[in-house]
Amino acid sequence: MTSNLLDPASTETRIDGRIDRRLRNREAVLEATIKMFSEGEVIPAMDVVAERAAVSLRSVYRYFETRDELIRAALEQWLLQEAPHLVAQPPIEGDLAERIEYFCGQRLTLYFRFAPLARVALVLDETDPLVRDLFDYGRDSLREQFAAQFETELGLLGHRDWEMATTAATLPLQFHLFEYMHVGCGFDATEMHKLIVEQLQLHLSAL
């Protein structure tokens, strides 16, 4: 027994085991937090996280000193998991009505996938680089997808008119306005789709 305790290999195994256990517990805490995010709990209580992760509350605070630190770490991990699904699909061929229907369907799909992440991000300081990058990505990808899908309609415009037309058309498709329609007004996906299709048809037909 004594020789075992003094054996460097045995000591290293015990240390590695403790590190592995801590890493597994930390991962369990993050996964439990992400699960609560997906269930609509944007400010999870630390004791509930501990219970869901099957670790002690003391352990949670050992890995994350504050709730904001836990939220940020879990949001970062969730973003990595969701990143492949947050990429807009390429544009399609077809007449204007078909392309508008497709484009609006894509935006709504991304909104319903992206919204739980965005709601959690808004709990953090909006100056946080992670939060800023998340919303910048959403805004920039929306403009890029819009410009690619409606290149035919936008192509004859000068630079300033292109900027104004693109901004006007994409404003109703921003996250905050989707939230207003869905959460504030109680519109379901079908109603939201009908509304934004009609608005986009009016806008693009007037170009």
Side-chain angles (χ1 to χ4, degrees):
M1 179 75 71
T2 304
S3 60
N4 240 0
L5 289 173
L6 297 177
D7 179 60
S10 176
T11 302
E12 183 177 339
T13 299
R14 291 198 307 279
I15 292 172
D16 286 347
R18 286 197 296 271
I19 292 172
D20 286 345
R21 186 170 62 255
R22 286 175 183 169
L23 289 175
R24 287 196 304 272
N25 286 346
R26 185 180 187 277
E27 188 68 19
V29 169
L30 289 174
E31 287 302 320
T33 306
I34 291 170
K35 179 67 173 171
M36 293 176 71
F37 288 163
S38 68
E39 295 168 354
E41 182 60 69
V42 296
I43 311 178
M46 298 291 261
D47 57 338
V48 179
V49 170
E51 183 179 348
R52 293 281 292 267
V55 302
S56 68
L57 181 58
R58 182 177 178 181
S59 292
V60 175
Y61 278 107
R62 183 182 301 124
Y63 310 132
F64 307 100
E65 292 184 2
T66 66
R67 185 163 56 185
D68 276 1
E69 187 179 326
L70 168 60
I71 290 173
R72 192 183 194 285
L75 180 61
E76 256 186 354
Q77 182 151 314
W78 199 14
L79 273 171
L80 288 174
Q81 294 171 1
E82 286 294 308
H85 305 290
L86 296 177
V87 178
Q89 296 299 307
I92 63 164
E93 300 293 331
D95 63 27
L96 180 59
E98 290 172 330
R99 288 181 286 125
I100 288 175
E101 287 278 346
Y102 171 80
F103 177 80
C104 291
Q106 283 296 310
R107 296 317 303 178
L108 280 172
T109 297
L110 286 177
Y111 163 72
F112 282 108
R113 184 122 202 173
F114 173 86
L117 286 158
R119 291 175 192 133
V120 172
L122 289 173
V123 170
L124 303 176
D125 185 343
E126 290 196 31
T127 63
D128 186 299
L130 179 64
V131 178
R132 191 169 58 245
D133 288 349
L134 182 61
F135 284 96
D136 285 351
Y137 171 79
R139 184 196 61 238
D140 294 345
S141 66
L142 169 58
R143 287 176 66 86
E144 288 170 11
Q145 188 195 15
F146 178 82
Q149 184 61 82
F150 302 107
E151 184 179 5
T152 301
E153 289 71 25
L154 297 169
L156 298 178
L157 301 177
H159 176 71
R160 188 63 177 171
D161 287 338
W162 185 97
E163 286 286 351
M164 291 179 68
T166 300
T167 299
T170 55
L171 273 176
L173 306 173
Q174 302 285 344
F175 171 76
H176 293 289
L177 285 177
F178 271 12
E179 280 285 271
Y180 174 71
M181 284 188 279
H182 182 55
V183 179
C185 299
F187 295 164
D188 62 21
T190 301
E191 292 168 325
M192 291 171 70
H193 186 263
K194 182 176 184 293
L195 179 60
I196 62 177
V197 163
E198 288 175 354
Q199 291 301 307
L200 200 51
Q201 283 174 338
L202 286 172
H203 182 81
L204 289 171
S205 298
L207 293 179

